[in-house]
Amino acid sequence: MDRDKLRRLLEDVAAGGVSPADALAQVSLSPIRDLGFAQVDTARGVRQGVGEVVYGAGKDAGQICGIVLALEESGQRHVLVTRVDQQKHNQLAALLRERGHELPDYRPASGLALFGGMPEPTGTGTIVVVAAGTSDLPVAEEAAVTAEFLGNDVRLVMDVGVAGIHRLLAHADEVASASVVIAVAGMEGALASVVGGLTAAPVIAVPTSVGYGASYGGLAALLAMMNSCASGVSVVNIDNGFGAGYQAHLINHVGSPTPRHDNGKD
């Protein structure tokens, strides 16, 4: 049961249309859907304001399809699936066609599959995602699309790394006026510190695995971001665009009068 259904149920109880006993029976229904290969958390949207998100890596298309359908049947209107490569998307699309189900909006660069369409933004401001280079696009888009899918106004600014810092300074006004900034960078990860010095907003740094040998698959950028001298910079794991987009969404909805998305992680 999502938040909208729970609210309507409580309103029905208040109006006398549903007895407290009947309401208790509905709420007491198991919030877990056992599919054998997955325990689908159908009540996460009620607990956290954001329903379950499906991590696609390591799952086959049939498992993803089963989880998505179970979430939709539970009343979750929007479902996000992360880390879906092109081959797996093609297999998933074939299974959905067999069931007469609408295909997701697939974003191949970031490997995201979006069910239910984009909601209207309900956040308190704009989330700005800045990426150091074009090679960082998959992670940057994962962050940006995740935040947008959760109900935020998002601006993606690409290829503004410190090797040509004038490119970033051309967007200084956008960065300064953002409610949250996500800084995505590989190599030495210096972008996060520079951005942290340009804005009063929280900065979420995302190290990427882009770089040559001594970058150690993003470890150098991760350590540099964790040791940033700029105040207000927090760091997520290497290549974790989803985590950054989700956290930015939570920050952008603090104090918002509108309930958060009914969309968490399997």
Side-chain angles (χ1 to χ4, degrees):
M1 179 179 294
D2 63 23
R3 286 191 170 192
D4 288 340
K5 283 190 174 181
L6 180 59
R7 184 183 298 105
R8 288 195 296 270
L9 177 60
L10 294 174
E11 290 171 348
D12 289 341
V13 172
V18 176
S19 71
D22 288 341
L24 179 61
Q26 292 185 48
V27 173
S28 299
L29 293 175
S30 174
I32 302 297
R33 178 81 175 273
D34 186 355
L35 301 182
F37 57 84
Q39 301 287 321
V40 182
D41 186 356
T42 59
R44 191 173 300 180
V46 174
R47 297 196 316 273
Q48 297 185 338
V50 175
E52 188 163 8
V53 173
V54 184
Y55 180 64
K59 296 181 178 69
D60 62 36
Q63 292 169 332
I64 293 172
C65 183
I67 294 170
V68 169
L69 293 178
L71 289 171
E72 290 183 339
E73 289 166 3
S74 75
Q76 185 168 317
R77 295 169 298 167
H78 305 272
V79 181
L80 177 64
V81 186
T82 68
R83 302 300 167 100
V84 179
D85 60 30
Q86 185 68 58
Q87 180 180 8
K88 192 173 293 185
H89 165 68
N90 293 341
Q91 296 168 344
L92 177 61
L95 291 174
L96 293 169
R97 287 192 189 97
E98 290 177 2
R99 291 162 172 77
H101 192 287
E102 184 177 351
L103 300 186
D105 176 8
Y106 179 60
R107 307 295 178 91
S110 55
L112 295 174
L114 289 66
F115 291 83
M118 287 288 188
E120 289 296 319
T122 55
T124 57
T126 300
I127 297 171
V128 175
V129 181
V130 294
T134 305
S135 297
D136 299 306
L137 174 61
V139 178
E141 183 176 284
E142 184 179 59
V145 175
T146 294
E148 185 179 2
F149 189 69
L150 295 178
N152 298 274
D153 182 22
V154 181
R155 170 87 168 107
L156 176 59
V157 180
M158 289 299 306
D159 199 20
V160 289
V162 299
I165 199 168
H166 58 288
R167 300 173 300 181
L168 174 63
L169 296 178
H171 297 276
D173 288 345
E174 290 176 77
V175 172
S177 63
S179 61
V180 191
V181 181
I182 300 174
V184 183
M187 300 292 186
E188 82 293 351
L191 179 65
S193 291
V194 175
V195 169
L198 294 175
T199 182
V203 176
I204 303 171
V206 188
T208 71
S209 51
V210 172
Y212 295 103
S215 68
Y216 295 106
L219 181 59
L222 172 65
L223 294 175
M225 290 171 170
M226 291 181 68
N227 286 282
S228 173
C229 64
S231 302
V233 175
S234 59
V235 188
V236 298
N237 209 344
I238 298 168
D239 291 337
N240 188 11
F242 166 80
Y246 189 105
Q247 185 68 13
H249 158 71
L250 294 178
I251 294 170
N252 196 41
H253 279 74
V254 172
S256 172
T258 305
R260 295 199 295 271
H261 199 267
D262 69 340
N263 236 33
K265 204 95 176 166
D266 173 42

